[in-house]
Amino acid sequence: MKFTFYGHACFSVEIKGKHLLFDPFISPNEKAAHIDVSSVKADYILVSHGHEDHIADAVYIAKNTGATVVSNYEIVCWFGTQGVKNGHPMNHGGKWNFDFGSVKYVNAVHSSVLPDGTYGGNPGGFVVESNEGCFYFAGDTALTMDMQLLGKYHPLDFAVLPIGDNFTMGTDDAIIAADLIRCNRIIGVHYDTFGYITIDHTEAKKKFAAAGKQLTLLGIGDSIEL
Ligand code: NI
Ligand code: MN
């Protein structure tokens, strides 16, 4: 699986030649100014919740690529009102088999409203399973005991967790989350974009290492094979 980081909580994972793009927020992010949004590939756009910092470029990219938006029912309906033709609505606990593998929409403890004030349903995260591997994107969330279930029933190769604190888990809680989901390979997201979520990279990596886990913090635009 090829993983590419686009800044904040936006990344793509390539599975079986399909591009899964998560939480596109690129053009408003000054730190991602070198990313050309029109060149971002997507066959599917997975949206964890309705906040602006997770969907800013989603309508544009969906129209530009013809990608299918996968999110909760309320958010997929909203994309329909924005002229996005392809949507796949889900709700918490539900799983669907796509052509690359399966997606399960799972709990997140956060809030969710769309930029125009439309109700955005309840926020979530995603577990993606395929024969190339399995991973969890937590979306924006607090540490929650629900994460135990994910670790017990899904063999995760890696997990994408928010670590910026203030609006989501910080590093210390993300380490506990990694324990609960039984995953030692963590990609950190949702840090440094705004003043409220600035972190010390060295300290964060040290804390994860001390807990026997690997924290990867990618440069914006960088890709790794996982
Ligand atoms: Ni949020
Ligand atoms: Mn956010």
Side-chain angles (χ1 to χ4, degrees), residues 8 48-54 110-112 123 139-141 167-168 190:
H8 197 50
S48 65
H49 65 295
H51 288 158
E52 171 74 10
D53 61 317
H54 297 260
H110 192 66
S111 56
S112 179
D140 281 6
T141 186
F167 298 116
T168 67
H190 216 276

Side-chain angles (χ1 to χ4, degrees), residues 119-165:
Y119 172 61
N122 288 314
F126 297 99
V127 175
V128 176
E129 288 181 283
S130 77
N131 49 28
E132 291 187 9
C134 176
F135 65 95
Y136 165 53
F137 169 45
D140 281 6
T141 186
L143 176 64
T144 162
M145 288 299 276
D146 290 343
M147 290 169 176
Q148 270 190 344
L149 290 170
L150 305 182
K152 197 166 176 190
Y153 298 107
H154 303 279
L156 300 171
D157 294 299
F158 69 93
V160 182
L161 302 179
I163 57 168
D165 224 326

Side-chain angles (χ1 to χ4, degrees), residues 34-190:
H34 58 293
I35 305 292
D36 173 14
V37 179
S38 69
S39 71
V40 173
K41 291 180 185 164
D43 296 290
Y44 297 91
I45 301 173
L46 290 84
V47 176
S48 65
H49 65 295
H51 288 158
E52 171 74 10
D53 61 317
H54 297 260
I55 69 155
D57 296 304
V59 169
Y60 169 77
I61 295 172
K63 289 180 180 173
N64 191 39
T65 59
T68 298
V69 173
V70 180
S71 188
N72 69 33
Y73 177 78
E74 291 81 0
I75 289 173
V76 168
C77 287
W78 180 82
F79 274 93
T81 69
Q82 306 300 303
V84 172
K85 292 199 176 70
N86 303 316
H88 183 99
M90 302 187 77
N91 218 324
H92 299 82
K95 186 171 98 173
W96 184 261
N97 293 315
F98 293 89
D99 54 1
F100 57 85
S102 68
V103 174
K104 189 175 191 180
Y105 192 60
V106 298
N107 292 353
V109 176
H110 192 66
S111 56
S112 179
V113 67
L114 289 149
D116 61 5
T118 302
Y119 172 61
N122 288 314
F126 297 99
V127 175
V128 176
E129 288 181 283
S130 77
N131 49 28
E132 291 187 9
C134 176
F135 65 95
Y136 165 53
F137 169 45
D140 281 6
T141 186
L143 176 64
T144 162
M145 288 299 276
D146 290 343
M147 290 169 176
Q148 270 190 344
L149 290 170
L150 305 182
K152 197 166 176 190
Y153 298 107
H154 303 279
L156 300 171
D157 294 299
F158 69 93
V160 182
L161 302 179
I163 57 168
D165 224 326
N166 191 73
F167 298 116
T168 67
M169 296 188 285
T171 306
D172 294 336
D173 281 357
I175 290 168
I176 300 168
D179 270 333
L180 295 182
I181 61 174
R182 304 182 189 182
C183 182
N184 291 331
R185 185 80 208 267
I186 305 300
I187 314 284
V189 295
H190 216 276

Side-chain angles (χ1 to χ4, degrees), residues 189-204:
V189 295
H190 216 276
Y191 62 91
D192 285 359
T193 319
F194 323 111
Y196 288 125
I197 59 174
T198 302
I199 66 158
D200 180 328
H201 294 206
T202 309
E203 193 192 329

